[in-house]
């Protein structure tokens, strides 16, 4: 059949092109949802850009009960309990008196710096709103206590922006579409995870050199490095195996 005849019968307009792309995107979203959902409980079809959030909001108790039931059917309950105990054991070194002392020193230093800035700002005795200042102080104390100096100034600024986007997205409608707060928060979380992963990688190198822990991730990584070394085969064992 002649192409010109087809174009006359089915004229191509911008509206039809856009509608076609939207339909294709919606079909792809449903397909990816079905692939991720697999045999897990939940609706077989979801509202575009919102996913299964409506089901969770409508009846959160049933939603999580269904997830727990699916986990039990898969035999995950015992494994999760074991992993929980293992995680508690791994987290224990992060909260020893020595570790807590390090965190307190870090936080005190940051708090003193911020209070000094506040005093300088209010030197003319005019009242100021402390909400934003307190938020910045809390964020910096958390950053320094958790990852120490592994975040550069540029990374800290990006971390601050992403953390703000994350908090905003938590209180927004779960519409996963560009321009919406939830969409921005989802991508912000990915950037936060990459930043923290980079900090952990740097910490691992430092702890492998036997240096003293200076933040929470150092204490966690020091124990991890110790376990890795203990699990590594000894040289004389390798020689025997040869």
């Amino acid at each position: 059949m002649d192409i010109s005849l087809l174009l006359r019968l089915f004229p191509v307009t911008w509206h039809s092109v856009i509608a076609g792309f939207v339909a294709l995107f919606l079909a792809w979203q449903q397909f990816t949802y079905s692939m991720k959902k697999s045999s897990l409980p939940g609706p077989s079809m979801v509202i575009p850009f919102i996913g299964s959030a409506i089901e969770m909001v409508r009846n959160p108790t049933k939603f999580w009960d269904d997830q727990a039931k699916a986990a039990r059917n898969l035999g995950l309950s015992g494994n999760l309990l074991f992993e929980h105990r293992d995680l508690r054991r791994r987290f224990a070194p992060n909260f020893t008196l020595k570790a807590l002392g390090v965190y307190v020193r870090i936080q005190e230093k940051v708090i003193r710096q911020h209070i000094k800035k506040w005093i300088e700002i209010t030197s003319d005795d005019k009242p100021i709103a402390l909400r934003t200042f307190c938020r910045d102080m809390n964020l910096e104390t958390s950053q320094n206590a958790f990852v120490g100096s592994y975040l550069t100034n540029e990374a800290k600024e990006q971390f601050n922006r992403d953390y703000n986007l994350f908090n905003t997205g938590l209180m927004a409608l779960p519409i996963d579409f560009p321009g919406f707060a939830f969409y921005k928060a989802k991508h912000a979380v990915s950037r936060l995870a990459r930043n923290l992963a980079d900090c952990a990688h740097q910490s691992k190198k430092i702890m492998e050199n036997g240096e003293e822990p200076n933040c929470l991730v150092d204490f966690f990584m020091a124990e991890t490095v110790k376990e890795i070394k203990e699990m590594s085969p000894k040289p004389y064992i390798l020689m025997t195996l040869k």
Side-chain angles (χ1 to χ4, degrees), residues 149-161:
S149 59
Y150 296 125
L151 280 177
T152 63
N153 290 333
E154 182 181 354
K156 282 185 177 181
E157 292 176 2
Q158 183 63 50
F159 194 102
N160 293 350
R161 290 192 293 269

Side-chain angles (χ1 to χ4, degrees), residues 8-189:
R8 284 197 298 270
L9 293 174
F10 305 100
V12 178
T13 63
W14 283 110
H15 296 289
S16 61
V17 172
I18 293 174
F21 274 114
V22 170
L24 183 62
F25 178 78
L26 295 180
W28 172 253
Q29 191 176 57
Q30 292 292 338
F31 173 74
T32 53
Y33 167 79
S34 299
M35 293 294 292
K36 292 177 181 178
K37 176 181 174 296
S38 186
S39 60
L40 293 175
S44 56
M45 300 289 288
V46 293
I47 300 176
F49 311 118
I50 295 180
S52 59
I54 296 296
E55 185 79 12
M56 183 175 64
V57 173
R58 184 183 301 167
N59 194 341
T61 302
K62 182 179 182 300
F63 179 86
W64 292 113
D65 283 346
D66 289 344
Q67 306 305 315
K69 182 179 178 181
R72 286 193 296 270
N73 292 338
L74 293 173
L76 295 177
S77 300
N79 292 336
L80 290 175
L81 179 61
F82 172 78
E83 290 175 4
H84 176 65
R85 290 175 179 172
D86 187 53
L87 284 175
R88 289 182 62 183
R89 178 183 62 80
R90 290 176 179 274
F91 285 152
N94 299 342
F95 302 101
T96 60
L97 290 177
K98 178 181 178 181
L100 293 175
V102 171
Y103 309 152
V104 168
R105 287 196 298 272
I106 292 173
Q107 292 173 332
E108 182 181 3
K109 180 180 178 181
V110 174
I111 291 171
R112 287 180 179 275
Q113 290 173 346
H114 278 264
I115 291 178
K116 183 179 179 181
K117 291 180 183 178
W118 299 351
I119 293 174
E120 293 173 354
I121 293 173
T122 57
S123 57
D124 54 359
D125 295 332
K126 291 183 179 179
I128 60 172
L130 286 177
R131 180 179 179 181
T132 303
F133 292 110
C134 288
R135 174 196 171 277
D136 293 341
M137 182 184 70
N138 289 336
L139 186 57
E140 188 173 352
T141 54
S142 298
Q143 287 176 343
N144 289 4
F146 272 85
V147 295
S149 59
Y150 296 125
L151 280 177
T152 63
N153 290 333
E154 182 181 354
K156 282 185 177 181
E157 292 176 2
Q158 183 63 50
F159 194 102
N160 293 350
R161 290 192 293 269
D162 289 336
Y163 186 73
N164 188 42
L165 290 173
F166 168 69
N167 283 328
T168 303
L170 286 178
M171 298 178 286
L173 289 174
I175 302 177
D176 190 12
F177 192 74
F180 286 86
F182 181 82
Y183 179 88
K184 295 178 182 178
K186 186 180 75 171
H187 289 273
V189 167

Side-chain angles (χ1 to χ4, degrees), residues 161-226:
R161 290 192 293 269
D162 289 336
Y163 186 73
N164 188 42
L165 290 173
F166 168 69
N167 283 328
T168 303
L170 286 178
M171 298 178 286
L173 289 174
I175 302 177
D176 190 12
F177 192 74
F180 286 86
F182 181 82
Y183 179 88
K184 295 178 182 178
K186 186 180 75 171
H187 289 273
V189 167
S190 298
R191 290 191 295 269
L192 288 170
R194 286 196 297 270
N195 269 333
L196 293 176
D198 181 63
C199 292
H201 182 68
Q202 295 179 59
S203 174
K204 184 173 182 290
K205 289 184 177 180
I206 296 295
M207 293 302 101
E208 285 176 341
N209 293 333
E211 297 188 23
E212 283 294 316
N214 289 310
C215 57
L216 187 145
V217 72
D218 280 349
F219 282 100
F220 182 83
M221 196 57 67
E223 189 67 18
T224 302
V225 169
K226 180 181 176 182

